[in-house]
Structures are given as structure tokens and as C-alpha cells.
Amino acid sequence: MQLLNGKETAKVLLDSLEIDVAQRAATGKKVPHLAAILVGNNGASETYVASKVKACNEIGFVSTLIHFEEDVTELKLLEKIEELNEDMDVDGVLVQLPLPEHISEKKVIETIDPSKDVDGFHPVNIGKMTLGEKEAYVSATPYGIMLLLEHHKIETKGKHAVVIGRSHIVGRPMSILLSNNTNPGNCTVTLCHSKTTNLKEICLQADIIVAAIGIPEFVKADMVKEGAVVIDVGITRIKDATKKSGHRLVGDVDFKNVAPKTSFITPVPGGVGPMTIAALMKNTFKACDERN
Amino acid sequence: MQLLNGKETAKVLLDSLEIDVAQRAATGKKVPHLAAILVGNNGASETYVASKVKACNEIGFVSTLIHFEEDVTELKLLEKIEELNEDMDVDGVLVQLPLPEHISEKKVIETIDPSKDVDGFHPVNIGKMTLGEKEAYVSATPYGIMLLLEHHKIETKGKHAVVIGRSHIVGRPMSILLSNNTNPGNCTVTLCHSKTTNLKEICLQADIIVAAIGIPEFVKADMVKEGAVVIDVGITRIKDATKKSGHRLVGDVDFKNVAPKTSFITPVPGGVGPMTIAALMKNTFKACDERN
């Protein structure tokens, strides 16, 4: 069993981006600028946005954080997005989800200029991703997983990948990316979800499992074939009295029992999570490069 | 075994649309108007476009057929599309594919106003279809298949569907539609393609098979589980000296040997083909209804 260390891989990618940014700067070119919008005081959202801003700062991107109160009107938020769309200095625009209930996430996402949509949530980008078009901005978690597979030279062509979970943000795009005619890619892909009746039987056929259901330790050892590659997208905080903090983070995979059967597995934390940030930074760099 | 008779089903849907159109007309509302563009003299394309225009006429839609010579410039074609986009009387715009090599299909598709894109090929519509948004225009063949399943009340929830072929026009969207949280839908879906290594083994697990590879009689009886539902999207003209015409049309399924094992199967011709026309008409009606 070998760990797919997302923390180390992300560092390699971010170091490489840092050099690319420095080269842009040295040749008088504009450096990437990411604008992030945060609404309200959701603790997790604040942490996520902070880590994105931190990553920008570390590799030489410009970042702008716009923080609205919980009760900001939808109109005001949309106006800010339009302002950022038109701001020639801004390359990437993201709005941290979830949003308060009085604001339509759909409207917000569709207001972002697709060419600045570094989160890859706009229907145009999802459509282009589905069509396998290279110009698409692919959302950060699935893109990060593809980068992790690529970095570790995991053979995917002709393999049977089973994706558990059909969320718009992870499961669905993973199922598409893994089956597109690309490398990584070219898998036979089975997409499973809450209505799947024989999940264990299907998982046992998988050469590659992507677990993205959000249920702690859902994937057990008896669901995994010997030698499979296991990608764990879940991250849930559960109580643990043996820890100083009183909790620990667990994924969607019963890591302790599953890991020994696998050829490669992502740890939680330190697997998919850090790759998400690296993927977002790569999207932002690309947005900057393409508009300048 | 029961035939999924696309010809009959399409007639039911078209008859119903005809009534809806008559009702619009009777209440002084605009009737749907489909504008179709044909380039060059490809025999198959001419036949397809003619059948679309014929369907329009039969159910009371207005239709416009614009026929360009093979050597029309890309610019001229794009200008015509823009003119149709702006024409308030036109509800749906389609450009019959394939196009001559000097014209970019991607540019052409992306020039069509997504709200008039009744073929559902624009990235925005593909993105919305992927996201399961009802406002999406779903391309006619996969939409027609969904209508056929719905009309025959085929239970799909929790079933294992195997889609063979990952084309943008059929296989890929079918895999998405069948796994979305809808009815029909909610299948566990496996998408197979040219890089799949154990196709027979996977097909044998399928409750529903959608064959969309374009290889005559590719799906054999030993690949199909007893009681499966089989949807045959292929249509190829092969030589047959026993026929007056010297040829016959065959699908991607070895119908004669497969049919006895199935619970439901589409014939070729008369299965998916007519449903494609009905789906296009439904999309055009929807486009008219939504803009007026």
C-alpha cells in the first residue's frame, strides 16, 4: 500500500506555480489575481476561504477577500460579482458556498463570467468539461483528484472506476472526467448513489474507488478488491475523547481496515483536501494566462 | 418480450403537441417556429432535415429551411445564425451536422442562442442537463429515449443501466440522464466505450442496455441478461441481396437473437429514430412557450 500524499503533491504543484508566477512578474506580465467573496460567519467557510487566500499569498498571487454580512441582499451580491467580472485586474472570481437561504446559489453562479469562474461551477464550464474541452475550468476537487492520479502515474486506461455519490461538485464530474478520452481517464465508470441497490457487489469490481458520499467510514474492507486504488473525498469531524481536541477528522473510507488491501489510498486529512487548493490555484493561473 | 415501438409512441406525442399548438393558435398565441440550416448536399443530412420539416408541418409548427452551398463561408453561416437568434419570430434554431471541414462545428454550436438551441448541443445546455436542471434543452436522441422509457412506464429507479458508447450526442448524455435523480432516472449507470476491457461481463449485469456505438449487430445474445430492457440507438445500412432495395437497416443489437431474451427492446428502424423527431418537436414547443 502506498499513500497518495495530497499535501506533498500539492506542495510540488504550488512550488511550480510559484516559479511560473515569478517568471510572469520578471517579464513584466500581470500576476494572477483571485477575488473571493464570503457571506456571513460560517466557521467552515471562513476556514476554507482563509486557506485559499493564504495559498495565493504564498505563491505570489494577488488576492482580494470581500466579506459580506449574513443579511446582504442578493442584488448587492450580484452587483459585486458584476463589478469583479468587469474589473480587468481580477482573473478569478469565487463565491464561497453555501450561501444564506435568501440568496439563489444558481443565480450567483450564473452571474460569474465563465472565463473567471475558477471554481468551475458555471453551466458553461460544466458543459465544456462534459464535452472534454480543454478550455473548461474543472471544479477544484475533481480536478485536484485528476492531478493527484496524474502526479502518481496511476494507470487508469481501461480500468473500472466506481464513483460513489453523484453530487454536482464531486461525484458527477469525477464520473465524467474518469471516463473521458484523456490521461488520466479512459476508465469504464460506474456511478453509484443513494438509489443503488447492490453497492458492495459493484465496489468489489472496482480497480479505482472514489468515495464522495459524506458518510464517515462508509466504505468497508469487504467492499474493496485487493490492490484497488481508493480516493477518499469525505471529511467529517467526529468526537474522539482520546484526542486533546476532543475530535478527529475521518473520511468516507474505513481507512484502518481498507488501506492494507489497496495499492494506493488517500489519507484524510492530507489527501484530496490540499489538492483542491492546488487545483484552484492552477485554474486561477490559467485564467490569468488566457486573458493576458 | 415487448417491442418499444418508437413510431407509435412518437405519434402519440406528436398528436398531443398538435393539440397544444392548435390551442395556442386558437387563443391568439404564437405557434412554434423552427429554423433549420443545412449545408451542402449530404444525402443523409438532407433526409434528416426533410423529416424534421415534415414533422413541423404536420403538427402546425412554422418551419424555415435555409440551404447553403457546400462552400459557404463560416462567417456567412455564423451571420445567418445570429440573424435567426435575433429574429423574434424564430423559436428554435438547428444546424444539421456534420458540417464541411472548413467550418468549425464548435463555433457554430456556440453561436446559437442557448434559449433557441433545441438540439441541446450548446455547452450551457449540456451543463444544465448535467446539473439536472429542468430548463435545459436535452439533445433529441437521449431525450427521445427518456420519453420512450417514460411512456412505457419502464421502472428505472435502482436498476443497473449499461450505456455502450460515450459520444457527446448519445452515450454521454444518456449516462447522465439515467443516473440523475429523476423519473425515469435514478439508475446505477456504467458507461462503457472503446477502452472498456470486460464489456461482456459488464453487459451481463445490466437491467437496461443502451447500445450507441455505431457497429451493426455488436450486442449479441450472450451479452444480455434474461429480462433486460434493450435500447438500440444504432442505425446502419448494410447490403442485403434478398431485399428489393439491395440493402436493409440494422441497429447495434443482433435483434433476432437478442430480442427473445429481453423484456423490452426497440426495433430498428421504428424505435429510437422516430422518438428523436418527437423530442426535437417537444423542445421547439418548449422554446416557443418559454419566450412568449
Side-chain angles (χ1 to χ4, degrees):
Chain A
M1 183 273 290
Q2 192 183 326
L3 272 189
L4 292 170
N5 189 319
K7 207 171 163 184
E8 276 177 24
T9 309
K11 188 171 184 319
V12 172
L13 298 178
L14 290 170
D15 285 351
S16 164
L17 271 180
E18 189 177 359
I19 293 169
D20 293 341
V21 174
Q23 273 177 345
R24 284 191 70 91
T27 53
K29 287 183 184 161
K30 183 183 174 318
V31 301
H33 179 176
L34 176 67
I37 299 179
L38 177 65
V39 178
N41 299 296
N42 177 315
S45 290
E46 287 181 350
T47 306
Y48 288 139
V49 168
S51 64
K52 292 168 188 176
V53 169
K54 183 163 166 268
C56 283
N57 297 342
E58 283 172 359
I59 61 174
F61 287 13
V62 176
S63 65
T64 302
L65 173 58
I66 297 140
H67 197 158
F68 285 111
E69 296 295 327
E70 182 82 16
D71 62 355
V72 64
T73 63
E74 183 179 275
L75 182 65
K76 197 163 174 193
L77 180 57
L78 297 180
E79 281 172 353
K80 173 53 79 178
I81 293 169
E82 274 159 12
E83 187 189 313
L84 296 170
N85 284 345
E86 276 156 37
D87 186 337
M88 291 302 289
D89 193 67
V90 170
D91 301 299
V93 176
L94 72 82
V95 180
Q96 186 67 42
L97 303 182
L99 292 169
E101 280 194 4
H102 68 280
I103 298 175
S104 157
E105 290 190 355
K106 183 173 184 301
K107 257 194 216 166
V108 165
I109 288 168
E110 293 186 4
T111 301
I112 298 171
D113 180 337
S115 73
K116 295 191 176 188
D117 170 40
V118 288
D119 255 346
F121 292 161
H122 193 288
V124 167
N125 282 313
I126 292 173
K128 288 184 175 176
M129 182 268 299
T130 302
L131 294 167
E133 288 178 11
K134 284 185 183 165
E135 67 199 67
Y137 291 100
V138 176
S139 63
T141 301
Y143 182 31
I145 293 169
M146 296 302 276
L147 291 169
L148 192 63
L149 293 170
E150 185 183 32
H151 185 79
H152 288 83
K153 300 186 171 57
I154 309 271
E155 180 62 74
T156 57
K157 184 174 163 183
K159 303 294 181 188
H160 190 172
V162 172
V163 177
I164 318 173
R166 58 182 165 180
S167 73
H168 296 337
I169 292 176
V170 185
R172 171 68 67 197
M174 273 318 298
S175 75
I176 294 170
L177 293 169
L178 284 172
S179 62
N180 271 344
N181 186 7
T182 50
N183 180 29
N186 274 316
C187 291
T188 301
V189 175
T190 302
L191 181 59
C192 299
H193 46 76
S194 57
K195 305 300 189 303
T196 295
T197 50
N198 55 342
L199 185 65
K200 183 177 164 183
E201 187 191 322
I202 290 173
C203 284
L204 278 169
Q205 299 173 40
D207 302 307
I208 299 168
I209 292 179
V210 179
I213 38 240
I215 304 175
E217 301 183 332
F218 179 83
V219 175
K220 306 290 183 195
D222 67 355
M223 296 165 71
V224 179
K225 184 169 75 174
E226 200 71 40
V229 175
V230 175
I231 308 292
D232 188 350
V233 185
I235 186 155
T236 311
R237 179 186 284 207
I238 62 168
K239 284 186 184 171
D240 185 341
T242 70
K243 302 279 173 189
K244 268 189 198 170
S245 60
H247 68 260
R248 63 189 168 101
L249 295 171
V250 296
D252 288 352
V253 177
D254 177 8
F255 186 88
K256 193 180 129 197
N257 296 304
V258 169
K261 295 185 80 173
T262 64
S263 56
F264 294 90
I265 186 167
T266 58
V268 174
V272 171
M275 292 305 297
T276 297
I277 300 276
L280 175 68
M281 295 300 124
K282 278 182 78 82
N283 276 345
T284 306
F285 185 88
K286 177 182 161 184
C288 173
D289 201 44
E290 284 180 1
R291 64 193 307 111
N292 293 286
Chain B
M1 183 275 290
Q2 192 184 329
L3 272 190
L4 292 170
N5 190 320
K7 209 172 162 182
E8 277 176 25
T9 309
K11 189 173 182 319
V12 172
L13 298 178
L14 290 171
D15 285 350
S16 164
L17 270 181
E18 190 177 357
I19 294 168
D20 293 341
V21 174
Q23 273 178 345
R24 285 190 70 91
T27 53
K29 287 184 185 161
K30 183 183 175 315
V31 301
H33 179 176
L34 176 67
I37 299 179
L38 176 65
V39 178
N41 298 296
N42 177 315
S45 290
E46 286 180 353
T47 305
Y48 288 138
V49 169
S51 64
K52 293 169 188 176
V53 169
K54 183 165 166 267
C56 282
N57 298 342
E58 282 172 0
I59 62 174
F61 287 13
V62 176
S63 65
T64 302
L65 173 57
I66 297 141
H67 196 158
F68 286 111
E69 297 294 325
E70 181 83 15
D71 63 354
V72 65
T73 62
E74 184 180 275
L75 182 65
K76 199 166 172 190
L77 179 57
L78 297 180
E79 280 172 356
K80 173 53 79 177
I81 293 170
E82 274 159 13
E83 187 190 313
L84 296 169
N85 284 345
E86 276 155 38
D87 185 338
M88 290 302 290
D89 193 68
V90 170
D91 301 298
V93 176
L94 73 82
V95 179
Q96 185 67 40
L97 303 182
L99 291 170
E101 280 195 3
H102 67 281
I103 298 174
S104 157
E105 289 189 358
K106 183 174 184 301
K107 258 193 216 167
V108 164
I109 289 168
E110 293 186 6
T111 300
I112 297 171
D113 180 338
S115 74
K116 296 192 177 188
D117 170 40
V118 288
D119 256 346
F121 292 160
H122 193 289
V124 166
N125 282 313
I126 292 175
K128 288 182 175 176
M129 182 268 300
T130 302
L131 293 167
E133 288 177 12
K134 283 185 184 166
E135 67 198 66
Y137 291 99
V138 176
S139 63
T141 302
Y143 182 30
I145 294 169
M146 296 302 277
L147 290 168
L148 192 64
L149 294 170
E150 185 182 32
H151 184 79
H152 288 83
K153 300 187 171 57
I154 308 271
E155 180 62 75
T156 58
K157 184 174 163 182
K159 302 294 181 188
H160 190 171
V162 172
V163 177
I164 318 174
R166 59 180 163 179
S167 73
H168 296 337
I169 292 175
V170 186
R172 169 70 67 198
M174 274 316 300
S175 74
I176 293 170
L177 293 168
L178 285 171
S179 62
N180 272 345
N181 186 7
T182 51
N183 180 27
N186 274 317
C187 292
T188 302
V189 176
T190 302
L191 181 59
C192 298
H193 46 76
S194 56
K195 305 300 191 301
T196 295
T197 51
N198 54 341
L199 184 64
K200 184 178 164 181
E201 187 191 323
I202 290 174
C203 284
L204 278 168
Q205 299 174 39
D207 302 307
I208 300 168
I209 293 180
V210 179
I213 38 239
I215 303 175
E217 301 183 334
F218 178 83
V219 175
K220 306 291 184 194
D222 67 356
M223 295 165 72
V224 178
K225 184 169 75 174
E226 201 71 39
V229 176
V230 174
I231 308 292
D232 188 349
V233 185
I235 186 154
T236 310
R237 178 186 285 207
I238 61 169
K239 283 186 183 171
D240 185 341
T242 71
K243 302 280 174 189
K244 267 189 197 171
S245 61
H247 69 259
R248 64 188 168 101
L249 294 171
V250 296
D252 287 352
V253 177
D254 177 8
F255 185 88
K256 193 180 129 196
N257 297 303
V258 169
K261 296 186 79 174
T262 64
S263 57
F264 293 90
I265 186 168
T266 58
V268 174
V272 172
M275 292 305 296
T276 297
I277 300 277
L280 175 68
M281 296 300 124
K282 279 184 77 81
N283 276 344
T284 306
F285 185 88
K286 176 181 161 184
C288 173
D289 201 45
E290 284 180 3
R291 63 192 310 110
N292 293 289

